[in-house]
């Protein structure tokens, strides 16, 4: 069994796949290293042999996690690393090491699947956009705050904005003008998010031509699915790229 990890700024997404069939046997999302350890220990029939991961956390934080996994499960971890070029894709950053590794492996996965120009949109704590040409040239991309960041900034800097996550979820069941603060904030943030996504489609048409694939991934991908009917929603896109960046034998 292979353990795959996507270590983001807020959460760790994990899954265990079969060595031979590459079928997901278990998985989930946790908020800390110890939650991950507990979730793995609770997985029936777990027999980890290898681990690969992509992390946007600091080197020290990543090292603590990999050491803990080795201590508890006896597995060594292979970490995705920056590259100028890999699997037919050329990194578009002027300083290639500074492109977020989660973005890099998502681009690798998308291009490998599409084999044509593609736009990769990852909607998480932050929202990222990356454009790749038919020849695998990564043109760069854009970053903006995601729903959690926009919501938290308003809560932090505006004293009268106070509501819980359940109220936020209910507010997004409709997109009529808000008749309460929670409705106004949540729907306003979602409109900003959708506007960003629609602008990316226009930019992709300009830079990639009309024949490009759109990939949606990240925890909030479904919030914009209705404005991107042509998009492919792939929650595990990062893992598809991680397998390319860190092949295990």
């Amino acid at each position: 069994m292979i353990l795959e990890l996507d270590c983001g700024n807020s959460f760790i997404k994990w899954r265990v796949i079969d060595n031979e069939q590459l079928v997901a046997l278990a998985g989930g999302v946790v908020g800390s290293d110890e939650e991950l350890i507990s979730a793995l220990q609770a997985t029936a029939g777990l027999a980890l042999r290898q681990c690969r991961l992509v992390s946007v956390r600091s080197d020290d934080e990543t090292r603590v996690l990999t050491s803990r996994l080795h201590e508890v499960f006896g597995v060594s971890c292979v970490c995705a690393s920056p590259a100028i070029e890999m699997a037919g894709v050329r990194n578009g950053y002027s300083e290639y090491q500074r492109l977020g590794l989660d973005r890099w492996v998502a681009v690798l996965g998308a291009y490998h699947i599409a084999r044509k120009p593609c736009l990769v949109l990852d909607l998480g704590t932050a929202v990222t956009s990356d454009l790749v040409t038919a020849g695998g040239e990564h043109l760069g991309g854009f970053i903006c705050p995601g729903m959690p960041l926009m919501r938290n900034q308003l809560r932090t800097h505006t004293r009268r904005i106070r509501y819980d996550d359940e109220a936020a979820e209910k507010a997004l069941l409709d997109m009529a003008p808000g008749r309460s603060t929670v409705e106004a904030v949540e729907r306003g943030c979602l409109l900003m998010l959708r506007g960003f996504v629609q602008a990316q489609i226009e930019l992709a048409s300009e830079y990639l031509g009309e024949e490009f694939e759109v990939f949606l991934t990240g925890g909030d991908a479904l919030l914009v699915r209705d404005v991107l009917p042509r998009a492919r929603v792939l929650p595990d896109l990062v893992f598809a790229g991680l397998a390319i960046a860190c092949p295990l034998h």
Side-chain angles (χ1 to χ4, degrees), residues 122-125 217-223:
D122 188 343
L123 290 86
T125 304
T217 191
D220 284 336
L222 295 180
L223 291 179

Side-chain angles (χ1 to χ4, degrees), residues 53-236:
L53 66 87
V54 57
S55 176
V56 297
R57 301 181 172 194
S58 70
D59 291 342
D60 286 343
E61 289 174 311
T62 303
R63 197 175 300 113
V64 167
L65 174 58
T66 57
S67 296
R68 189 84 174 96
L69 290 169
H70 186 269
E71 172 190 332
V72 177
F73 301 104
V75 293
S76 298
C77 299
V78 178
C79 302
S81 57
I84 297 176
E85 189 167 357
M86 179 178 288
V89 181
R90 186 167 182 82
N91 193 315
Y93 262 29
S94 53
E95 296 180 70
Y96 75 93
Q97 306 95 326
R98 294 188 176 276
L99 176 64
L101 284 171
D102 53 344
R103 290 172 63 192
W104 175 235
V105 297
V107 163
L108 291 177
Y111 186 73
H112 177 76
I113 293 168
R115 295 299 180 185
K116 63 189 291 189
C118 52
L119 169 66
V120 184
L121 297 165
D122 188 343
L123 290 86
T125 304
V127 175
T128 63
S129 165
D130 288 282
L131 293 85
V132 189
T133 70
E137 190 73 26
H138 172 233
L139 300 180
F142 301 88
I143 304 174
C144 77
M147 287 290 286
L149 283 177
M150 286 192 281
R151 177 187 299 126
N152 290 338
Q153 283 297 302
L154 284 168
R155 285 176 175 174
T156 300
H157 297 290
T158 308
R159 291 182 181 178
R160 292 176 181 263
I161 294 180
R162 294 289 183 271
Y163 55 85
D164 58 25
D165 292 339
E166 182 180 356
E169 189 174 335
K170 288 181 179 178
L172 292 177
L173 296 176
D174 188 357
M175 285 303 291
R179 297 176 65 87
S180 67
T181 298
V182 60
E183 291 177 353
V185 169
E186 290 299 312
R187 295 171 190 177
C189 289
L190 181 53
L191 286 174
M192 291 188 71
L193 188 62
R194 288 178 173 176
F196 174 84
V197 166
Q198 288 170 326
Q200 298 309 304
I201 297 297
E202 295 173 9
L203 283 164
S205 297
E206 178 183 348
Y207 284 95
L208 303 176
E210 294 303 320
E211 296 297 321
F212 61 90
E213 194 88 39
V214 182
F215 291 89
L216 276 178
T217 191
D220 284 336
L222 295 180
L223 291 179
V224 300
R225 182 67 178 87
D226 58 334
V227 298
L228 292 176
R230 62 186 277 191
R232 299 175 65 171
V233 180
L234 295 180
D236 291 335

